[in-house]
Amino acid sequence: MTTPRDAGRVVIVGAGLAGYSAALQLRTLGHDGPIALVDSESTAYDRPPLSKRLFGDDFTIDALAFATHEALAEKDITTHFGSAAVALDPAAPSVSLRGGSHLEADTVLLTVGGRARSLPIPGIDLPGVHMLRTFEDAVAIRERVSPGVRAVVIGAGLIGAELTSSLRIAGADVTLVDPVQVPLIPAIGEALATRLHDMHTERGVEVIVGVTAEISQSAEHLQVEVDAGPTLPADLVIVGVGLVPNVELAAAAGLDIDNGVLVDESARTSAPGVFAAGDVARLRDSSGTLHRREEHWEAAETSGKHAAYGMLGLDAPARGAPWFWSDRHDVHLEAVGRLSGSGKIVVREGGAYPAVFLVEDGLLVGAAAVDDTNLVRAARRLIDNRVPVTATELADPSVSLRAVLRVSR
Ligand SMILES: Cc1cc2nc3c(=O)[nH]c(=O)nc-3n(C[C@H](O)[C@H](O)[C@H](O)COP(=O)(O)OP(=O)(O)OC[C@H]3O[C@@H](n4cnc5c(N)ncnc54)[C@H](O)[C@@H]3O)c2cc1C
């Protein structure tokens, strides 16, 4: 790492988790220069509740907000909310906002996240066809749902599965369509992915394997046509097929892009003085290897904080194995590290749900479990500390991973 630098006037574009975390971390690290936080939305808020709590009584933007404007002002963070950044001049650097104003900067952080991926099929723009990324999206879905409403969810990944569960709890009749027989195997292993996917049927969801070809509007309702499958009547369709990173601002400014804004270990983009973090950023490490872009909450928070270190020319603390959680049908899933690629899958049976591990060369590289935070936490420490562990120990439900950790000390 280079010598500490004065980040000067910092402009952060995107006040989601990564941008918000970076702003606070800059202050924690002692940066006392101006910080401007820009967002096209009116509030900086948390997204995971959008798919989990959208039918709850306390589902308001204030309940989801990270902080009030006053709390941000107390930290001397100036907000430009409801203002989209429309151009980045990396040479200045400066950021232009819709409406014509310019923010001069010494350091710019891009934390512009992503948007919900659409499907290139006829009917995708019909009224009643929704996607979910923002509070506004969640409110639009909520307004269309009442007991007995027919909802078709396209995409059975993490967000599609969470929405399916929330819609069932709200009393909707749900059909879930996905081209894959069992989604999420690469993320959580086959044993757990199968068990969790089966829960949809157990909870009264109709699960269809197939590719959605078209959505149309009949006189009474929407119709979802599945290739070589049924035509599904629907009052509401929700498409949950992943995320597209918002790279346009960076691309127009000439920054290096490859399915994300490319950054080094210090969150530096290819333009001096311009950094990126969160869902929009993709690590190209010092050997030139491109890493998978992460799209999870903890990665956004950590990369935002680490970008603050990078902007100040400081070494960030070591980063642990990536972790995420997801909630559906009253169960809480957690996964850490990787569960696909080289190595041997080990399944621990004996509980209500299997726990899944990936072991490579005698070391744990990934784990996933349901309703077992302690196990995943211990697994994470085994991964981060490179503690040797055998497949026999991992498969045996009577072996405590914490005990394996203790013995290793
Ligand atoms: C419905 C849902 C449920 C989720 N559940 C989980 C979960 O259970 N577990 C988990 O680990 N992760 C979950 N995630 C993922 C997690 O929320 C994201 O990884 C995280 O929000 C990413 O933060 P970010 O700051 O990088 O991006 P974002 O949260 O997308 O924030 C980017 C911000 O940039 C703003 N912006 C974009 N372009 C501009 C522009 N040109 N000018 C100004 N502002 C701009 C946007 O308005 C937005 O506020 C979920 C995500 C969603 C959508």
Side-chain angles (χ1 to χ4, degrees), residues 171-189:
D173 287 337
V174 189
T175 305
L176 179 60
V177 185
D178 196 286
V180 175
Q181 190 83 34
V182 180
L184 293 176
I185 291 177
I188 58 173

Side-chain angles (χ1 to χ4, degrees), residues 309-362:
Y309 283 86
M311 288 187 276
L312 298 174
L314 301 171
D315 285 326
R319 210 175 139 196
W323 168 89
F324 72 85
W325 89 97
S326 180
D327 299 321
R328 63 166 87 173
H329 301 308
D330 302 323
V331 301
H332 175 72
L333 164 74
E334 289 184 48
V336 63
R338 66 172 169 87
L339 282 158
S340 53
S342 56
K344 176 181 166 11
I345 287 280
V346 178
V347 179
R348 174 180 285 212
E349 301 281 4
Y353 300 89
V356 181
F357 304 96
L358 185 67
V359 195
E360 189 177 32
D361 300 330

Side-chain angles (χ1 to χ4, degrees), residues 13-19 38-41 47-48 50-52 83-85 111-114 132-133 159 162 246 249 277-280 295-298 300 323-327:
V13 185
L17 181 62
V38 178
D39 205 292
S40 38
E41 294 188 65
R47 292 182 199 275
L50 300 181
S51 46
K52 301 168 183 69
S83 309
T111 42
V112 286
L132 177 61
R133 182 72 191 175
I159 289 178
E162 290 191 348
N246 289 329
L249 205 59
D279 280 7
V280 78
E295 297 172 2
H296 296 303
W297 192 95
E298 195 198 49
W323 168 89
F324 72 85
W325 89 97
S326 180
D327 299 321

Side-chain angles (χ1 to χ4, degrees), residues 267-290:
R268 285 181 292 219
T269 68
S270 55
V274 181
F275 295 72
D279 280 7
V280 78
R282 184 175 184 197
L283 174 64
R284 176 170 56 186
D285 68 22
S286 45
S287 71
T289 305
L290 284 175

Side-chain angles (χ1 to χ4, degrees), residues 48-393:
L50 300 181
S51 46
K52 301 168 183 69
R53 292 197 349 233
L54 76 168
F55 299 114
D57 292 336
D58 62 342
F59 190 71
T60 61
I61 192 73
D62 288 346
L64 304 188
F66 295 127
T68 59
H69 289 260
E70 293 72 32
L72 289 167
E74 265 170 36
K75 299 256 176 213
D76 206 11
I77 296 168
T78 310
T79 52
H80 299 264
F81 288 175
S83 309
V86 291
L88 161 71
D89 177 352
S94 68
V95 173
S96 306
L97 305 185
R98 181 163 295 134
S101 57
H102 297 277
L103 299 175
E104 304 296 332
D106 299 294
T107 305
V108 173
L109 174 65
L110 296 175
T111 42
V112 286
R115 55 189 179 273
R117 184 181 295 283
S118 186
L119 277 177
I121 56 170
I124 196 72
D125 294 325
L126 282 169
V129 179
H130 296 254
M131 279 176 272
L132 177 61
R133 182 72 191 175
T134 65
F135 178 74
E136 224 172 80
D137 296 337
V139 169
I141 293 170
R142 181 191 163 108
E143 281 172 357
R144 288 188 91 100
V145 173
S146 53
V149 87
R150 292 163 302 179
V152 172
V153 177
I154 301 172
L158 292 170
I159 289 178
E162 290 191 348
L163 266 172
T164 295
S165 162
S166 298
L167 285 160
R168 278 304 289 150
I169 292 164
D173 287 337
V174 189
T175 305
L176 179 60
V177 185
D178 196 286
V180 175
Q181 190 83 34
V182 180
L184 293 176
I185 291 177
I188 58 173
E190 186 171 359
L192 197 47
T194 305
R195 180 74 188 82
L196 286 177
H197 196 54
D198 285 349
M199 287 183 81
H200 293 306
T201 315
E202 291 161 16
R203 302 292 169 114
V205 175
E206 187 183 2
V207 176
I208 307 248
V209 180
V211 174
T212 305
E214 180 172 353
I215 306 168
S216 56
Q217 176 74 62
S218 75
E220 300 87 33
H221 48 66
L222 292 161
Q223 301 189 126
V224 178
E225 275 183 38
V226 180
D227 252 354
T231 297
L232 307 165
D235 303 305
L236 161 84
V237 176
I238 308 171
V239 179
V241 294
L243 171 120
V244 179
N246 289 329
V247 296
E248 291 74 10
L249 205 59
L255 273 57
D256 289 355
I257 307 287
D258 188 344
N259 182 27
V261 179
L262 297 184
V263 293
D264 68 10
E265 287 87 347
S266 300
R268 285 181 292 219
T269 68
S270 55
V274 181
F275 295 72
D279 280 7
V280 78
R282 184 175 184 197
L283 174 64
R284 176 170 56 186
D285 68 22
S286 45
S287 71
T289 305
L290 284 175
H291 291 238
R292 230 184 112 108
R293 198 168 40 71
E294 292 178 51
E295 297 172 2
H296 296 303
W297 192 95
E298 195 198 49
E301 185 192 40
T302 308
S303 70
K305 286 182 173 176
H306 285 195
Y309 283 86
M311 288 187 276
L312 298 174
L314 301 171
D315 285 326
R319 210 175 139 196
W323 168 89
F324 72 85
W325 89 97
S326 180
D327 299 321
R328 63 166 87 173
H329 301 308
D330 302 323
V331 301
H332 175 72
L333 164 74
E334 289 184 48
V336 63
R338 66 172 169 87
L339 282 158
S340 53
S342 56
K344 176 181 166 11
I345 287 280
V346 178
V347 179
R348 174 180 285 212
E349 301 281 4
Y353 300 89
V356 181
F357 304 96
L358 185 67
V359 195
E360 189 177 32
D361 300 330
L363 294 175
L364 188 61
V365 291
V370 162
D371 293 338
D372 201 341
T373 294
N374 286 340
L375 179 135
V376 176
R377 198 173 284 159
R380 188 176 205 182
R381 290 174 64 194
L382 289 170
I383 297 170
D384 290 346
N385 298 326
R386 298 178 61 79
V387 175
V389 58
T390 65
T392 312
E393 287 171 316

